[in-house]
Amino acid sequence: MFDNLTDKLDKAFHILKGHGKITDVNVADTLKEVRRALLDADVNFKIAKDFTTRVKEKAIGSDVLTTLQPGQLMVKIVKDELTELMGGETAGVNLSGTPSVILMSGLQGSGKTTFSGKLANFLKTKKGKKPLLVACDIYRPAAINQLHVVGDQIGVEVYSEPENKNAVEIAQNAIKHAKANGFNVVIVDTAGRLAVDEQMMNEIANVHAAIQPHETLFVVDSMTGQDAVNTAKAFNDRLNFDGVVLTKLDGDTRGGAAISIKSVVNKPIKFIGTGEKMEAIDVFHPSRMADRILG
Ligand code: GDP
């Protein structure tokens, strides 16, 4: 995960570690390499620039030039700033409702259906919940089948109405079904498109308005870098979602989406997907991720 970024940051810090005497030129060179590493990771230019400016201010404030271990101090400053950039604290999911309704949004192929299953499995096995999965994709029968396959795999019931072409109705009926049958979490998987389009946005906005979920999650493929950030912005403008799920981190060698998405939409990353299996889900911890990035 993020191997390229980890390697490049390591090389940047070597500029400081390799020198007997630390000068402001070395520090500036290091920061230039840190910025380049972020840009190569597909972090937006302004975010990368602001990041290195903040690191520089902190480095000056903490006398990085006079310390005996400037490399280590610099790594710590970068780690703290990366943690902040990725949201600082770990963010939870709102499970206060009876049932708690969680709406999934995102483009087709982002990993929404897979993640719906992973989350249901996580809440069932780790939190003792009784979740209901809801197939609200009215365009692709294959998507409904896929959710049923996932549900069978994890032993979670799936609600669907294959003949109904009204996503709002299906979601509302599913919530009634959940209330009547003792489900305490309802996870609504919605239709995605290959790119942001008006019809899809209207549909999910209608479902959102009708069921008023306790939690709306935006699912995005982390490998798509700045595109992921732009898509997040488009969905957030419409849905004002509560959190981000970054999928396919196992295949992401760059890390740009993980690093920049929080500061662009001002919503925390709540979960990550790290593989195709139902167990490949983790709660996102900004400081642990910063540790991993720094190797
Ligand atoms: P949806 O169209 O948004 O519902 O996307 P799917 O859930 O069908 O996922 C699209 C593809 O990505 C499938 O082949 C999944 O197995 C795969 N996928 C989903 N999440 C992950 C992940 O975290 N890691 C990897 N490697 N593959 C994933």
Side-chain angles (χ1 to χ4, degrees), residues 5 7-19 21-39 48 51-53 55-56 59 64-65 70-78 294:
L5 178 59
D7 279 359
K8 283 182 183 141
L9 287 174
D10 190 44
K11 287 197 183 99
F13 297 129
H14 259 89
I15 298 175
L16 287 181
K17 287 176 187 159
H19 282 268
K21 190 169 176 300
I22 304 302
T23 64
D24 49 2
V25 175
N26 299 337
V27 173
D29 283 349
T30 302
L31 289 176
K32 208 161 113 193
E33 288 305 315
V34 168
R35 168 141 48 127
R36 190 170 295 165
L38 292 174
L39 293 175
F51 181 86
T52 40
T53 304
V55 170
K56 186 175 170 192
V64 85
L65 295 183
Q72 258 150 299
L73 183 54
M74 197 61 140
V75 171
K76 181 173 184 320
I77 295 171
V78 169
L294 292 172

Side-chain angles (χ1 to χ4, degrees), residues 166-240:
N166 184 332
V168 169
E169 247 177 56
I170 299 171
Q172 286 172 327
N173 291 343
I175 294 169
K176 278 187 212 144
H177 177 81
K179 281 183 181 156
N181 293 281
F183 292 93
N184 45 24
V185 181
V186 177
I187 299 173
V188 182
D189 186 21
T190 56
R193 293 283 159 78
L194 292 174
V196 172
D197 84 27
E198 250 333 273
Q199 195 192 356
M200 170 188 71
M201 281 297 184
N202 287 339
E203 184 178 294
I204 190 155
N206 288 341
V207 173
H208 185 262
I211 65 175
Q212 305 209 342
H214 300 88
E215 181 83 28
T216 302
L217 294 175
F218 167 70
V219 181
V220 71
D221 177 345
S222 117
M223 293 195 286
T224 57
Q226 281 200 54
D227 276 350
V229 178
N230 295 335
T231 311
K233 208 174 165 311
F235 274 82
N236 194 45
D237 288 349
R238 263 326 263 281
L239 296 179
N240 191 20

